[in-house]
Amino acid sequence: MQKKAPNHIDRHIGSRVRARRTMLGMSQERLADALGLTFQQVQKYEKGMNRIGASRLLQIAGILDVSIEFFFEGLPGLRAGGFSGDSLMAEFLTRSESDRLVRGFLRLKDDEARRKVADLVDWLASVG
């Protein structure tokens, strides 16, 4: 019997949970503890393998300090004007490399180093 592939909406919402959790520097274990779950369940949510119910999504939004709409921002096929938000930021947060970039940036303690990283990214974007 073949495993069912995750739904694209569940994957999107899961990636937004992961992105916000990472932005806050929160581990899967810490989020799981706050939800009364195992970290494996959080992993399944973030991969879209398990669907997040409405009440659980509201609970996650509270823990991650975002509105419920945050999880739907940038969702392909969402009607225009459905939710507010910066679509460029939403696109960034759903990319796998954003996790590495944010984690590395947050480990930089020197403001000058952070400015130089931002300058480098600006320069790379302008030439590429």
Side-chain angles (χ1 to χ4, degrees), residues 4-73:
K4 187 177 174 186
N7 178 288
H8 78 282
I9 296 171
D10 296 329
R11 282 195 317 265
H12 177 85
I13 290 172
S15 73
R16 299 287 288 166
V17 170
R18 179 182 55 80
R20 178 62 179 169
R21 177 185 57 75
T22 301
M23 284 175 59
L24 295 174
M26 182 183 289
S27 68
Q28 287 179 330
E29 292 84 4
R30 201 163 112 213
L31 178 57
D33 286 345
L35 293 168
L37 303 171
T38 64
F39 80 91
Q40 291 94 339
Q41 181 62 42
V42 170
Q43 283 179 331
K44 290 177 183 179
Y45 283 158
E46 291 183 355
K47 291 179 181 177
M49 298 302 292
N50 284 9
R51 182 168 290 160
I52 304 172
S55 59
R56 178 76 72 199
L57 191 59
L58 189 58
Q59 186 182 15
I60 292 170
I63 293 166
L64 299 179
D65 195 31
V66 292
S67 67
I68 201 87
E69 291 88 358
F70 171 84
F71 301 109
F72 297 91
E73 289 175 358

Side-chain angles (χ1 to χ4, degrees), residues 75-87:
L75 185 63
L78 187 66
R79 67 179 170 83
F83 299 108
S84 61
D86 183 351
S87 62

